[in-house]
Short mmCIF file of all heavy atoms in Angstrom, two decimals:
data_model
loop_
_atom_site.label_atom_id
_atom_site.label_comp_id
_atom_site.label_asym_id
_atom_site.label_seq_id
_atom_site.Cartn_x
_atom_site.Cartn_y
_atom_site.Cartn_z
N LEU A 320 95.47 145.57 -103.40
CA LEU A 320 94.81 144.56 -104.22
C LEU A 320 93.32 144.85 -104.33
O LEU A 320 92.72 144.72 -105.41
CB LEU A 320 95.03 143.18 -103.63
CG LEU A 320 96.46 142.63 -103.68
CD1 LEU A 320 96.58 141.38 -102.82
CD2 LEU A 320 96.88 142.33 -105.11
N LEU A 321 92.69 145.23 -103.22
CA LEU A 321 91.26 145.52 -103.22
C LEU A 321 90.95 146.73 -104.09
O LEU A 321 89.96 146.73 -104.84
CB LEU A 321 90.78 145.76 -101.79
CG LEU A 321 90.84 144.54 -100.86
CD1 LEU A 321 90.53 144.96 -99.42
CD2 LEU A 321 89.86 143.46 -101.31
N GLU A 322 91.80 147.74 -104.02
CA GLU A 322 91.57 148.95 -104.81
C GLU A 322 91.77 148.69 -106.30
O GLU A 322 91.00 149.16 -107.13
CB GLU A 322 92.50 150.06 -104.34
CG GLU A 322 92.32 151.36 -105.11
CD GLU A 322 93.23 152.47 -104.62
OE1 GLU A 322 94.06 152.22 -103.72
OE2 GLU A 322 93.12 153.58 -105.16
N ARG A 323 92.80 147.90 -106.63
CA ARG A 323 93.14 147.72 -108.04
C ARG A 323 92.24 146.71 -108.75
O ARG A 323 91.94 146.86 -109.93
CB ARG A 323 94.60 147.28 -108.19
CG ARG A 323 95.10 147.47 -109.62
CD ARG A 323 96.56 147.21 -109.79
NE ARG A 323 97.40 148.02 -108.93
CZ ARG A 323 98.73 148.02 -108.98
NH1 ARG A 323 99.34 147.26 -109.88
NH2 ARG A 323 99.44 148.75 -108.17
N PHE A 324 91.79 145.67 -108.03
CA PHE A 324 91.11 144.57 -108.70
C PHE A 324 89.65 144.37 -108.27
O PHE A 324 88.94 143.61 -108.92
CB PHE A 324 91.86 143.26 -108.47
CG PHE A 324 93.27 143.26 -108.99
CD1 PHE A 324 94.32 142.84 -108.21
CD2 PHE A 324 93.55 143.71 -110.28
CE1 PHE A 324 95.62 142.84 -108.69
CE2 PHE A 324 94.84 143.72 -110.77
CZ PHE A 324 95.88 143.28 -109.97
N SER A 325 89.22 145.01 -107.19
CA SER A 325 87.84 144.84 -106.70
C SER A 325 87.39 143.38 -106.75
O SER A 325 86.33 143.06 -107.32
CB SER A 325 86.87 145.71 -107.52
OG SER A 325 87.24 147.05 -107.49
N PRO A 326 88.19 142.46 -106.19
CA PRO A 326 87.85 141.04 -106.33
C PRO A 326 86.61 140.67 -105.53
O PRO A 326 86.38 141.19 -104.44
CB PRO A 326 89.09 140.33 -105.76
CG PRO A 326 89.63 141.31 -104.77
CD PRO A 326 89.38 142.66 -105.36
N ARG A 327 85.83 139.76 -106.09
CA ARG A 327 84.69 139.24 -105.34
C ARG A 327 85.14 138.34 -104.20
O ARG A 327 84.50 138.29 -103.16
CB ARG A 327 83.74 138.49 -106.28
CG ARG A 327 82.96 139.39 -107.20
CD ARG A 327 81.96 138.63 -108.02
NE ARG A 327 82.58 137.97 -109.17
CZ ARG A 327 81.92 137.24 -110.05
NH1 ARG A 327 80.63 137.04 -109.91
NH2 ARG A 327 82.54 136.71 -111.08
N THR A 328 86.25 137.62 -104.41
CA THR A 328 86.76 136.69 -103.40
C THR A 328 88.25 136.88 -103.23
O THR A 328 88.99 136.96 -104.21
CB THR A 328 86.49 135.23 -103.81
OG1 THR A 328 85.09 135.05 -104.04
CG2 THR A 328 86.94 134.27 -102.72
N VAL A 329 88.69 136.97 -101.97
CA VAL A 329 90.11 136.95 -101.62
C VAL A 329 90.37 135.69 -100.81
O VAL A 329 89.69 135.43 -99.81
CB VAL A 329 90.52 138.19 -100.81
CG1 VAL A 329 91.97 138.07 -100.34
CG2 VAL A 329 90.33 139.46 -101.63
N LEU A 330 91.32 134.88 -101.25
CA LEU A 330 91.71 133.67 -100.54
C LEU A 330 93.04 133.92 -99.83
O LEU A 330 94.03 134.27 -100.47
CB LEU A 330 91.85 132.50 -101.51
CG LEU A 330 90.54 132.00 -102.12
CD1 LEU A 330 90.82 131.25 -103.42
CD2 LEU A 330 89.81 131.09 -101.15
N ALA A 331 93.04 133.74 -98.50
CA ALA A 331 94.27 133.92 -97.73
C ALA A 331 95.20 132.75 -97.98
O ALA A 331 94.81 131.59 -97.91
CB ALA A 331 93.95 134.04 -96.24
N SER A 332 96.47 133.04 -98.27
CA SER A 332 97.42 132.00 -98.63
C SER A 332 98.70 132.17 -97.83
O SER A 332 98.84 133.07 -97.00
CB SER A 332 97.72 132.06 -100.13
OG SER A 332 98.48 130.95 -100.55
N THR A 333 99.65 131.26 -98.05
CA THR A 333 101.04 131.32 -97.62
C THR A 333 101.24 130.90 -96.16
O THR A 333 102.15 130.13 -95.86
CB THR A 333 101.66 132.72 -97.85
OG1 THR A 333 101.47 133.07 -99.22
CG2 THR A 333 103.13 132.75 -97.52
N ALA A 334 100.42 131.39 -95.24
CA ALA A 334 100.65 131.13 -93.82
C ALA A 334 99.68 130.11 -93.23
O ALA A 334 99.63 129.94 -92.02
CB ALA A 334 100.55 132.44 -93.03
N GLY A 335 98.90 129.41 -94.08
CA GLY A 335 97.87 128.51 -93.56
C GLY A 335 98.21 127.05 -93.70
O GLY A 335 99.26 126.66 -94.20
N GLY A 336 97.28 126.22 -93.21
CA GLY A 336 97.40 124.78 -93.38
C GLY A 336 97.95 124.03 -92.19
O GLY A 336 98.28 122.86 -92.30
N ASP A 337 98.07 124.70 -91.03
CA ASP A 337 98.54 124.03 -89.80
C ASP A 337 99.89 123.35 -89.98
O ASP A 337 100.15 122.28 -89.42
CB ASP A 337 97.50 123.00 -89.32
CG ASP A 337 96.19 123.66 -88.90
OD1 ASP A 337 96.26 124.78 -88.37
OD2 ASP A 337 95.14 123.06 -89.11
N VAL A 338 100.78 123.97 -90.74
CA VAL A 338 102.14 123.45 -90.88
C VAL A 338 102.91 123.72 -89.59
O VAL A 338 102.79 124.80 -89.00
CB VAL A 338 102.85 124.12 -92.07
CG1 VAL A 338 104.27 123.61 -92.21
CG2 VAL A 338 102.07 123.88 -93.36
N ALA A 339 103.67 122.73 -89.13
CA ALA A 339 104.49 122.88 -87.92
C ALA A 339 105.91 123.26 -88.32
O ALA A 339 106.57 122.51 -89.04
CB ALA A 339 104.49 121.59 -87.12
N PHE A 340 106.37 124.42 -87.87
CA PHE A 340 107.71 124.89 -88.18
C PHE A 340 108.60 124.82 -86.95
O PHE A 340 108.14 125.07 -85.82
CB PHE A 340 107.67 126.32 -88.71
CG PHE A 340 106.97 126.46 -90.04
CD1 PHE A 340 105.72 127.04 -90.13
CD2 PHE A 340 107.57 126.01 -91.20
CE1 PHE A 340 105.07 127.17 -91.35
CE2 PHE A 340 106.94 126.12 -92.43
CZ PHE A 340 105.69 126.70 -92.50
N SER A 341 109.86 124.51 -87.16
CA SER A 341 110.83 124.45 -86.07
C SER A 341 112.18 124.92 -86.57
O SER A 341 112.39 125.10 -87.78
CB SER A 341 110.93 123.01 -85.52
OG SER A 341 111.36 122.12 -86.55
N GLY A 342 113.11 125.12 -85.64
CA GLY A 342 114.45 125.56 -86.00
C GLY A 342 114.72 126.98 -85.57
O GLY A 342 113.82 127.74 -85.18
N LEU A 343 115.98 127.36 -85.64
CA LEU A 343 116.43 128.67 -85.16
C LEU A 343 115.70 129.82 -85.85
O LEU A 343 115.30 130.79 -85.21
CB LEU A 343 117.94 128.80 -85.39
CG LEU A 343 118.57 130.14 -85.04
CD1 LEU A 343 118.42 130.44 -83.55
CD2 LEU A 343 120.05 130.16 -85.44
N LEU A 344 115.51 129.71 -87.15
CA LEU A 344 114.90 130.81 -87.90
C LEU A 344 113.50 131.13 -87.40
O LEU A 344 113.11 132.30 -87.35
CB LEU A 344 114.87 130.46 -89.39
CG LEU A 344 114.41 131.57 -90.34
CD1 LEU A 344 115.36 132.75 -90.30
CD2 LEU A 344 114.30 131.04 -91.76
N THR A 345 112.75 130.11 -87.02
CA THR A 345 111.36 130.33 -86.58
C THR A 345 111.30 131.14 -85.29
O THR A 345 110.31 131.80 -85.04
CB THR A 345 110.63 129.00 -86.40
OG1 THR A 345 111.26 128.24 -85.36
CG2 THR A 345 110.64 128.19 -87.69
#
Side-chain angles (χ1 to χ4, degrees):
L320 292 169
L321 294 172
E322 180 179 3
R323 196 173 303 185
F324 300 131
S325 303
R327 287 185 280 180
T328 304
V329 174
L330 291 158
S332 189
T333 306
D337 295 326
V338 179
F340 294 107
S341 60
L343 176 63
L344 187 63
T345 63

